[in-house]
């Protein structure tokens, strides 16, 4: 009948469509059944009421905002923000974890008693000699004229007061580690304040004394400020020159002993022998250091006695100039004021000339042609304020770091693209016989690093 009306082909199309529709309807029905069985029957519980609710939602969508959705967003947003803030280092209040323990106040001595770094020791040379004899595997000399040296530096136990200071402290200690590794020097980095009264300039003195007494195997302790960097990785300190001296600083005899100039020497980088004489020197140096009235009054004495010194509290450098100028007979014979190379080099007269040094000279000189140390006096990269523009200091510290780092990288076939760049470039090709390659400066296995083993 249908075939007569519509034709055979048309009837088959209709039948096929009907079958497909039936299957589609069955699939839809099964889907609804499964969903209602797994996620519930909707808001009201019946299909008719579900349908009415959906129609109402569509009908009112353009007329009003869903109040329950707004309430939900208001309720969940603070929790989401709290979670985001807890994962955000930039917004975290670091003071929450930097608080000292309750009741853990600093210990102070009796203000009526004279200051002392510790119990008086008078026979340290004898004690140390006995220890070295009993411990032959820890010799104080690692070569015929090469003493065992401990380089000491440090910084505040708290983070820097500006956001980039800690990054530059990291660069500075990395620089020192490189020099020490190349030259076979041990290194000690300190965060602790050993004596609350000796904060600031003076914090190094209690630390130095403690290390000298704790490491009798160390012949020389090398103190270096955190804002000083090695810029001649190839220069080896002429240790033999100081065989008759106990204290080596960068300075000039005329400026210290004759002129009593407060900048006649620098205590940001110095060498101190481990001996009784050095303990006596520390005992004589320290009494001007306790903060408060003693340090303030000592500052007035130093300003009146030393040429060109401004008025401010006593500092360790001025105190050392005063001690030597007024006690040359007691101390001067064992002090070596070094100016043949830059144990300390003022950054303001050096950093802008690095390209000139590279063009005309070479590492290993250590002096004004290629300074051993570049010291960023006055930049104070860890503080809130410095004595020079921040941009100038940071740019020049980057240049000084890269200047020294290039001498390290060349050992491995790389160099910085420029003294202002953090990126590096290759300066030699790789080889299938790497042990035959020699670095330009001979710093991979220098002779001064070789250690003489005890027999």
């Amino acid at each position: 009948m249908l075939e007569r009306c519509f034709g055979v082909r048309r009837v088959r199309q209709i039948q096929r469509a009907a079958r497909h529709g039936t299957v589609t309807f069955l699939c839809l029905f099964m889907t609804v059944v499964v969903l209602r069985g797994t996620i519930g029957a909707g808001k009201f519980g019946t299909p008719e009421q579900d349908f009415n609710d959906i129609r109402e939602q569509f009908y009112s969508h353009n007329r009003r905002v869903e109040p329950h959705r707004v309430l939900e967003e208001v309720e969940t947003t603070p929790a989401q923000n709290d979670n985001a803030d807890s994962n955000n280092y930039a917004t975290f209040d670091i003071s929450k974890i930097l608080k000292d323990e309750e009741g853990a106040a600093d210990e102070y001595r009796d203000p009526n008693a004279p200051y002392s770094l510790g119990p008086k020791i008078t026979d340290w040379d004898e004690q140390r000699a006995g220890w070295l004899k009993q411990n032959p595997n820890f010799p104080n000399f690692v070569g015929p004229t090469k003493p065992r040296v401990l380089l000491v530096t440090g910084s505040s136990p708290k983070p820097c007061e500006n956001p980039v200071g800690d990054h530059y402290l990291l660069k500075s200690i990395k620089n020192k580690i490189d020099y020490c590794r190349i030259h076979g020097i041990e290194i000690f980095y300190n965060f602790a304040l050993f004596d609350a009264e000796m904060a600031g300039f003076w914090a190094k003195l209690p630390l130095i004394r403690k290390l000298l007494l704790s490491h009798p195997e160390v012949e020389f302790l090398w103190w270096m400020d955190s804002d000083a960097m090695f810029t001649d990785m190839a220069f080896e300190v002429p240790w033999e020159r100081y065989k008759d001296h106990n204290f080596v600083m960068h300075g000039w005899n005329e400026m210290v002993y004759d002129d009593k100039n407060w900048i006649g020497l620098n205590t940001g980088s110095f060498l101190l022998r481990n001996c009784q004489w050095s303990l006596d020197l520390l005992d004589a140096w320290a009494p001007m250091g306790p903060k408060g009235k003693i340090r303030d009054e000592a500052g007035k004495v130093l300003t009146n006695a030393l040429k060109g010194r401004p008025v401010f509290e006593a500092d360790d450098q001025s105190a050392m100039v005063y001690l030597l100028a007024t006690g040359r007979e007691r101390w001067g014979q064992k002090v070596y004021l070094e100016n043949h190379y830059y144990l300390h080099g003022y950054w303001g007269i050096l950093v802008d000339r690095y390209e000139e040094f590279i063009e005309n000279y070479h590492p290993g000189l250590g002096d004004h042609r290629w300074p051993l140390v570049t010291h960023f006096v006055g930049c104070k990269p860890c503080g809130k304020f410095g004595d020079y523009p921040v941009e100038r200091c940071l740019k020049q510290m980057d240049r000084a770091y890269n200047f020294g780092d290039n001498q390290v990288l060349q050992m491995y076939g790389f160099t910085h693209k420029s003294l202002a760049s953090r990126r590096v470039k290759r300066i030699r090709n790789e080889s299938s016989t790497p042990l035959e390659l020699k670095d330009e400066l001979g710093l991979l296995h220098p002779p001064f690093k070789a250690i003489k083993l005890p027999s």
Side-chain angles (χ1 to χ4, degrees):
M1 185 71 175
L2 292 175
E3 293 178 354
R4 295 176 184 176
C5 296
F6 299 103
V8 177
R9 182 178 180 183
R10 183 64 176 170
V11 169
R12 290 179 178 176
Q13 291 178 343
I14 293 173
Q15 291 174 344
R16 189 182 301 114
R19 287 196 299 269
H20 290 171
T22 301
V23 173
T24 302
F25 177 78
L26 288 174
C27 290
L28 178 61
F29 177 77
M30 292 301 297
T31 301
V32 171
V33 171
V34 172
L35 289 176
R36 289 174 65 83
T38 55
I39 64 174
K43 183 177 180 181
F44 299 103
T46 66
E48 181 181 359
Q49 288 171 322
D50 285 349
F51 176 76
N52 291 335
D53 181 54
I54 293 172
R55 183 178 60 183
E56 177 65 21
Q57 293 291 338
F58 277 101
Y59 176 73
S60 62
H61 177 73
N62 294 327
R63 294 190 294 107
R64 62 183 175 84
V65 179
E66 301 165 24
H68 68 280
R69 180 179 177 184
V70 174
L71 180 60
E72 186 178 88
E73 289 180 351
V74 171
E75 290 177 348
T76 58
T77 299
Q80 292 173 350
N81 289 340
D82 289 345
N83 184 60
D85 288 344
S86 67
N87 296 337
N88 190 338
Y89 284 97
T91 60
F92 180 73
D93 182 7
I94 192 67
S95 63
K96 291 181 179 179
I97 63 172
L98 293 179
K99 293 180 180 179
D100 293 326
E101 296 180 7
E102 295 183 4
D106 294 328
E107 298 180 2
Y108 290 97
R109 63 182 177 84
D110 181 356
N112 298 319
Y115 179 80
S116 172
L117 289 172
K120 181 67 175 177
I121 297 176
T122 58
D123 61 344
W124 177 240
D125 289 342
E126 290 76 12
Q127 291 190 51
R128 181 168 177 257
W131 188 94
L132 291 172
K133 185 176 181 180
Q134 295 172 8
N135 296 272
N137 290 327
F138 294 91
N140 56 328
F141 277 79
V142 295
T145 60
K146 172 85 171 184
R148 185 187 296 273
V149 181
L150 177 65
L151 187 138
V152 182
T153 186
S155 58
S156 169
K158 294 182 179 181
C160 290
E161 297 177 314
N162 68 73
V164 299
D166 291 298
H167 175 65
Y168 284 87
L169 287 181
L170 180 61
K171 282 191 169 185
S172 180
I173 186 59
K174 193 269 184 187
N175 166 271
K176 295 177 177 67
I177 291 172
D178 282 336
Y179 182 88
C180 289
R181 182 183 68 255
I182 293 170
H183 291 264
I185 294 175
E186 300 173 30
I187 188 167
F188 183 97
Y189 194 94
N190 182 59
F191 269 145
L193 180 60
F194 284 7
D195 190 332
E197 286 192 273
M198 298 291 277
F201 309 112
W202 298 88
K204 67 184 75 160
L205 267 64
L207 171 63
I208 289 173
R209 185 179 190 272
K210 177 61 68 176
L211 292 176
L212 291 177
L213 298 178
S214 301
H215 294 280
E217 75 278 11
V218 169
E219 183 66 17
F220 268 104
L221 184 147
W222 187 343
W223 170 264
M224 198 168 186
D225 285 353
S226 60
D227 59 353
M229 296 187 191
F230 286 104
T231 42
D232 190 342
M233 293 292 176
F235 184 84
E236 171 76 354
V237 172
W239 301 106
E240 179 68 15
R241 183 183 301 175
Y242 311 130
K243 57 183 175 57
D244 296 325
H245 297 86
N246 298 330
F247 194 20
V248 183
M249 295 174 286
H250 187 84
W252 296 265
N253 289 320
E254 299 79 8
M255 292 183 67
V256 172
Y257 297 116
D258 299 336
D259 300 338
K260 297 182 181 180
N261 192 309
W262 81 293
I263 57 172
L265 55 81
N266 186 273
T267 55
S269 174
F270 61 77
L271 310 171
L272 184 66
R273 190 183 297 275
N274 194 350
C275 62
Q276 181 64 49
W277 183 96
S278 297
L279 296 184
D280 294 341
L281 178 72
L282 292 174
D283 288 339
W285 193 2
M288 290 188 178
K291 65 181 181 180
K293 184 177 179 180
I294 293 178
R295 193 183 295 185
D296 293 337
E297 293 299 321
K300 297 176 183 178
V301 173
L302 295 175
T303 297
N304 291 332
L306 303 180
K307 180 180 179 180
R309 188 184 189 274
V311 179
F312 66 101
E313 64 180 11
D315 64 295
D316 62 308
Q317 179 171 301
S318 299
M320 179 51 61
V321 174
Y322 180 82
L323 192 64
L324 295 182
T326 58
R328 186 173 189 176
E329 296 77 11
R330 172 71 177 87
W331 310 108
Q333 185 177 359
K334 293 294 182 179
V335 174
Y336 195 106
L337 295 181
E338 180 65 80
N339 49 60
H340 295 92
Y341 65 91
Y342 280 20
L343 186 59
H344 146 84
Y346 173 57
W347 67 279
I349 61 173
L350 296 174
V351 184
D352 288 326
R353 301 181 58 202
Y354 283 160
E355 285 80 4
E356 175 190 339
F357 301 157
I358 294 172
E359 182 178 356
N360 298 309
Y361 306 110
H362 56 82
L365 300 173
D367 55 16
H368 62 281
R369 298 167 294 178
W370 201 290
L372 171 62
V373 173
T374 300
H375 191 182
F376 287 85
V377 178
C379 277
K380 305 174 184 177
C382 199
K384 288 184 178 179
F385 302 97
D387 299 332
Y388 301 93
V390 172
E391 182 177 2
R392 180 188 176 198
C393 281
L394 297 185
K395 281 185 176 180
Q396 300 294 52
M397 291 182 76
D398 279 333
R399 283 170 52 82
Y401 172 81
N402 291 341
F403 184 70
D405 197 42
N406 279 344
Q407 299 161 55
V408 176
L409 292 176
Q410 64 83 31
M411 293 190 285
Y412 311 104
F414 293 88
T415 187
H416 286 274
K417 290 191 172 183
S418 73
L419 292 182
S421 175
R422 290 170 293 180
R423 301 182 65 183
V424 299
K425 62 182 179 181
R426 190 181 299 276
I427 57 175
R428 67 169 178 262
N429 296 325
E430 296 292 337
S431 171
S432 59
T433 55
L435 296 180
E436 296 179 2
L437 295 175
K438 302 296 182 182
D439 64 291
E440 181 181 349
L441 302 177
L443 296 182
L444 274 173
H445 304 96
F448 48 71
K449 188 178 179 180
I451 296 176
K452 179 183 178 181
L453 297 176
S455 56

